[in-house]
Amino acid sequence: QVQLVESGGGLVQPGGSLRLSCAASGIIFSIYNMGWYRQAPGKQRELVAHITIDRNTNYKDSVKGRFTISRDNTKNTVYLHMSSLKPDDTAVYYCKADSRGREHWGQGTQVTVSS
């Protein structure tokens, strides 16, 4: 059974930092490209950051320089380091694993940026 479990969300003040984790099980993690997506209330889900099996990365323009995606294949985990957080970053953050047409999603973790 495939499982992606996100953690690390919470309430943070503007300018603060969080690190999200997504632990995968039931898949051969190293052959999956991994992505972090987010969905704010009333908005469509959007790609925030993506990392390939070769560790090539790309980011949504509004998070470049503030967010960093990384992966640890020994722990079957992908991370999203978020800094200089803004209220507009408030959303449910999801991780996705994709490989050769197959994709799997986590259940999401809430990130709220507010004073």
Side-chain angles (χ1 to χ4, degrees), residues 10-30:
L11 174 64
V12 63
Q13 292 187 340
S17 299
L18 281 176
R19 187 184 79 162
L20 305 183
S21 301
C22 172
S25 60
I27 59 173
I28 303 173
F29 184 76
S30 60

Side-chain angles (χ1 to χ4, degrees), residues 51-65:
I51 185 166
T52 68
I53 58 175
D54 297 322
R55 302 178 188 274
N56 294 313
T57 59
N58 67 281
Y59 298 90
K60 177 179 173 63
D61 283 347
S62 64
V63 308
K64 286 180 180 177

Side-chain angles (χ1 to χ4, degrees), residues 4 8 20 27 35 38 47 56 71-72 77 84 94-95 97-98 100 110:
L4 299 178
L20 305 183
I27 59 173
R38 69 187 181 189
L47 175 66
N56 294 313
R71 64 189 297 159
D72 185 338
T77 300
S84 302
Y94 301 88
C95 71
D98 69 87
R100 302 172 186 174
Q110 176 71 47

